[in-house]
Amino acid sequence: MSPPRLQVACAGLGRMGKRHALNFLEKVTRAELVAAFTPDDAEIAWAQVHLEPFGVKLYKDYDEMLLQQGLQAVVIATVTTVHAEQAIKAIQADKHVLCEKPLSTSESVSQSVVTAAAKKPHLKVMCGFSRRFDASYRDAMDKMESGMIGRPSIFRSQTCDVLDPSGFFVAYAQFSGGIFVDCSIHDIDLALWFFGQDSQVKSVVSSGITAVQPDLRAHNDRDNAVGIIEFYGGKIAYIFCSRMMAAGQEDSTEIIGTSGKLTVNTQPVSNLVNIYEPGGIRREIPQNYYGRFREAFEREAKEFTDCCLDDGRLPMKLSGAVQAVKIGCALQEAMISGKKIWFDTTGSRMERAQM
């Protein structure tokens, strides 16, 4: 008798949804992709070629998909504005949930997912911050926790996407929540991970420009931005996000401690091949986010599946995803308003810093 496999459905078959669907179809031996949902005709056509021949049932109605016999878990990779609604529906239907980041574009709506999950403690509900499953970041965390760099005090991280002249990010800005909520949310989550999940934000300030896509301003967004997050306890995170890297994907992180520092991918490379040419020596770098974190996404899917089947402990708190959204939204607001935003020690907003 073959061991049980987690019966999984994928909601959303856009760029990220396709990757999740194929991971659960091809890479996760303890899971079986049994259903997929998308309202988009072009995505349905893709699924009819890549999913349906392997027994995956396709739906254009999310609620109908949740009723499929035997379904146990849902991976949500739709547009950000419906993440929370669909996650809550899945939880109420007694399904485990792996939701793409962020949970929502607002703190209060994100919190509603945590509230729904708390009513079903037997379910595994996780927000997919893929970098926590990356081997290099995990190694850096292990080294930091061993005391190698002393007390972590400064965190510097960036997510820099390859230039996409198609206008995708302009169209996506209508739903993404902005560059800090969408792009920098990974760096914010990493700051919370390395500084401690219960770290309390003290203030944020940020600034941004539209260097190549001025149409983003119509959606209160920018294509390049920097933000500074100050935490109580004397810790600072510096965040840089960009949509216009010409060579490829450039995602890197530095954790600076009182007796040393750790860096991850500060010189991006695809592999260990050096190319020697008449003009010099160069190394190729990943051309998109998935190219850099492909193995992390696979590990995320496998560990989520294991937690569901074995009733294991998830590797992160769902409440941390709410904290990340709160900080991302504050950075986005600070960028548009030009004002520094302050928080008290309970996490509530206040007009100015306490003296």
Side-chain angles (χ1 to χ4, degrees):
M1 183 177 178
S2 59
R5 300 172 71 192
L6 187 71
Q7 306 294 292
V8 179
C10 185
L13 294 173
R15 289 186 179 187
M16 194 55 67
K18 288 182 176 70
R19 293 160 179 166
H20 280 295
L22 292 175
N23 269 345
F24 277 95
L25 182 68
E26 301 170 352
K27 303 294 184 180
V28 187
T29 57
R30 299 188 72 193
E32 180 181 3
L33 185 70
V34 297
F37 153 78
T38 175
D40 185 272
D41 289 335
E43 293 174 7
I44 286 288
W46 176 88
Q48 288 171 337
V49 174
H50 296 91
L51 303 180
E52 196 171 41
F54 301 96
V56 180
K57 188 170 182 180
L58 306 182
Y59 294 87
K60 296 189 76 172
D61 185 291
Y62 180 77
D63 295 338
E64 184 182 353
M65 182 192 73
L66 291 178
L67 297 174
Q68 177 160 321
Q69 186 70 28
L71 182 64
Q72 297 171 287
V74 180
V75 180
I76 297 173
T78 46
V79 294
T80 304
T81 48
V82 297
H83 281 183
E85 175 189 349
Q86 291 180 345
I88 291 170
K89 283 185 175 182
I91 292 166
Q92 292 173 341
D94 219 40
K95 314 301 179 190
H96 304 291
V97 174
L98 170 57
C99 182
E100 253 304 317
K101 60 77 195 168
L103 285 179
S104 162
T105 57
S106 78
E107 179 188 0
S108 60
V109 176
S110 298
Q111 180 60 45
S112 67
V113 180
V114 178
T115 301
K119 296 176 181 177
K120 300 266 188 145
H122 62 288
L123 295 178
K124 307 301 177 183
V125 182
M126 186 174 86
C127 187
F129 287 108
S130 53
R131 293 186 204 185
R132 293 199 185 208
F133 299 87
D134 178 72
S136 295
Y137 278 105
R138 285 189 167 182
D139 185 49
M141 172 59 75
D142 289 343
K143 286 179 168 58
M144 186 197 75
E145 289 185 327
S146 75
M148 183 178 289
I149 63 169
R151 185 179 68 256
S153 303
I154 307 294
F155 179 87
R156 183 163 58 186
S157 194
Q158 68 177 48
T159 298
C160 296
D161 293 325
V162 66
L163 178 65
D164 184 347
S166 70
F168 169 81
F169 286 118
V170 175
Y172 187 55
Q174 300 176 62
F175 315 104
S176 70
I179 194 167
F180 280 112
V181 176
D182 175 60
C183 184
S184 288
I185 201 77
H186 287 289
D187 305 287
I188 296 167
D189 176 68
L190 286 174
L192 292 169
W193 190 31
F194 280 94
F195 280 164
Q197 196 64 66
D198 296 324
S199 298
Q200 285 289 347
V201 60
K202 182 177 181 180
S203 70
V204 304
V205 64
S206 60
S207 183
I209 60 171
T210 49
V212 294
Q213 296 176 322
D215 290 344
L216 283 168
R217 289 181 174 269
H219 305 295
N220 279 337
D221 207 6
R222 307 290 187 264
D223 53 28
N224 286 266
V226 295
I228 298 174
I229 309 162
E230 182 183 5
F231 293 93
Y232 283 97
K235 298 176 181 179
I236 291 179
Y238 168 92
I239 306 296
F240 170 45
C241 43
S242 176
R243 303 289 202 189
M244 65 169 214
M245 292 297 105
Q249 194 75 20
E250 295 185 36
D251 302 331
S252 61
T253 299
E254 292 180 82
I255 308 101
I256 304 169
T258 52
S259 58
K261 79 171 182 177
L262 299 164
T263 71
V264 179
N265 202 43
T266 50
Q267 294 182 324
V269 293
S270 288
N271 52 41
L272 299 178
V273 176
N274 288 338
I275 303 168
Y276 292 73
E277 299 173 310
I281 305 169
R282 66 182 176 90
R283 290 183 292 184
E284 294 177 335
I285 68 175
Q287 286 303 293
N288 53 52
Y289 183 82
Y290 195 67
R292 164 64 181 89
F293 293 104
R294 180 187 303 274
E295 292 181 359
F297 277 103
E298 292 176 9
R299 188 175 292 111
E300 174 186 78
K302 291 174 182 177
E303 291 190 15
F304 172 75
T305 298
D306 289 344
C307 285
C308 293
L309 291 174
D310 302 334
D311 194 24
R313 183 177 180 180
L314 290 169
M316 62 191 76
K317 294 180 180 179
L318 190 61
S319 58
V322 180
Q323 174 83 326
V325 169
K326 176 173 77 172
I327 294 172
C329 288
L331 285 166
Q332 194 75 17
E333 181 183 338
M335 180 180 70
I336 300 304
S337 69
K339 297 178 180 179
K340 190 171 186 177
I341 296 174
W342 296 88
F343 299 86
D344 64 23
T345 54
T346 68
S348 299
R349 292 271 294 264
M350 60 183 185
E351 288 302 312
R352 62 176 182 271
Q354 294 175 335
M355 300 303 291

